[in-house]
């Protein structure tokens, strides 16, 4: 919680400054940036919370597997006498299969989160260029002034830093 308060407050303060700077350049582009930040935060937090639950279940399964190991070690001779070695091995291995399933599920959720955090900013830059083209076209048809090249470079720089800070903030939220 302390990391979230120390780093999170600073991240929010810095990203809000960049958001204000982006508002000054173009409201439409800033709305796009805000929607992209939601596209980063929501999946990351949801998947992160699901991953935490899976990690807890995996820890429970590993604890159960340790107790099963001890039970199996103490009852090897009984299993041999009763010819139940195969059933005992299946009983023993079932818990490890669950552990492997949890591990692969956790790995896939982490990979999905990393995919979101790498694709969304690039998608944001692409959408920004598309929206800039639309704003340019609109400025030819009306008295609306589209951002000049200096403002576009400033906006893209601010957008990149803003999306990076949002990505880091979502990681902090998941860790807390």
């Amino acid at each position: 919680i302390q990391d979230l308060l120390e780093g999170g407050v600073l991240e929010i303060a810095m990203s809000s400054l960049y958001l204000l700077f982006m508002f000054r350049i173009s409201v439409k582009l800033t709305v796009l940036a805000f929607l992209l930040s939601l596209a980063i935060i929501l999946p990351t937090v949801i998947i992160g919370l699901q991953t935490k639950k899976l990690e807890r279940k995996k820890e429970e399964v590993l604890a159960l597997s340790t107790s099963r190991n001890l039970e199996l070690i103490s009852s090897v001779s009984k299993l041999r006498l009763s010819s139940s070695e195969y059933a005992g091995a299946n009983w023993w291995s079932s818990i490890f299969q669950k552990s492997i399933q949890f591990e692969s599920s956790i790995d896939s959720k982490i990979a999905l989160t990393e995919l979101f955090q790498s694709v969304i900013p690039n998608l944001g830059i692409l959408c920004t260029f598309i929206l800039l083209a639309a704003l340019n076209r609109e400025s030819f048809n009306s008295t609306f002034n589209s951002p000049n090249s200096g403002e576009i470079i400033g906006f893209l720089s601010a957008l990149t830093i803003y999306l990076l800070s949002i990505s880091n903030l979502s990681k902090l939220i998941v860790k807390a």
Side-chain angles (χ1 to χ4, degrees):
I1 294 176
Q2 183 178 2
D3 288 341
L4 182 62
L5 287 176
E6 290 173 355
V9 170
L10 185 61
E11 291 279 342
I12 290 172
M14 293 304 293
S15 59
S16 62
L17 285 175
Y18 282 109
L19 201 61
L20 290 174
F21 174 71
M22 290 187 295
F23 262 126
R24 186 177 178 282
I25 294 172
S26 172
V27 174
K28 291 178 182 178
L29 291 172
T30 307
V31 168
L32 174 67
F34 183 73
L35 292 175
L36 289 170
S37 66
L38 289 178
I40 290 174
I41 288 178
L42 292 178
T44 302
V45 170
I46 290 170
I47 292 172
L49 294 176
Q50 290 174 348
T51 303
K52 280 188 173 186
K53 289 178 185 176
L54 286 174
E55 287 174 347
R56 276 189 233 116
K57 288 181 182 179
K58 180 186 160 205
E59 291 298 323
E60 291 173 4
V61 166
L62 289 175
L64 185 61
S65 70
T66 303
S67 67
R68 280 196 183 179
N69 284 340
L70 295 174
E71 288 178 40
L72 192 63
I73 289 170
S74 66
S75 62
V76 168
S77 60
K78 294 176 188 174
L79 288 171
R80 284 188 181 154
L81 286 175
S82 66
S83 302
S84 302
E85 292 171 332
Y86 182 73
N90 284 338
W91 173 76
W92 177 73
S93 67
S94 68
I95 197 72
F96 290 104
Q97 290 172 353
K98 285 182 182 178
S99 175
I100 291 170
Q101 289 172 350
F102 282 131
E103 186 68 34
S104 66
S105 180
I106 290 169
D107 288 344
S108 67
K109 288 189 181 295
I110 289 172
L112 186 63
T113 300
E114 289 173 358
L115 178 71
F116 270 116
Q117 291 185 346
S118 63
V119 168
I120 297 295
N122 294 328
L123 180 67
I125 299 296
L126 178 66
C127 290
T128 302
F129 282 126
I130 292 170
L131 191 56
L132 280 170
L135 289 174
N136 254 348
R137 197 172 340 112
E138 186 179 318
S139 71
F140 287 128
N141 298 334
S142 68
T143 60
F144 172 75
N145 290 331
S146 68
N148 62 30
S149 58
E151 290 174 334
I152 291 170
I153 291 171
F155 183 84
L156 290 175
S157 298
L159 175 68
T160 304
I161 294 170
Y162 173 72
L163 291 178
L164 181 64
S165 68
I166 291 297
S167 175
N168 290 337
L169 180 64
S170 64
K171 288 177 187 176
L172 275 173
I173 291 170
V174 170
K175 285 182 183 178

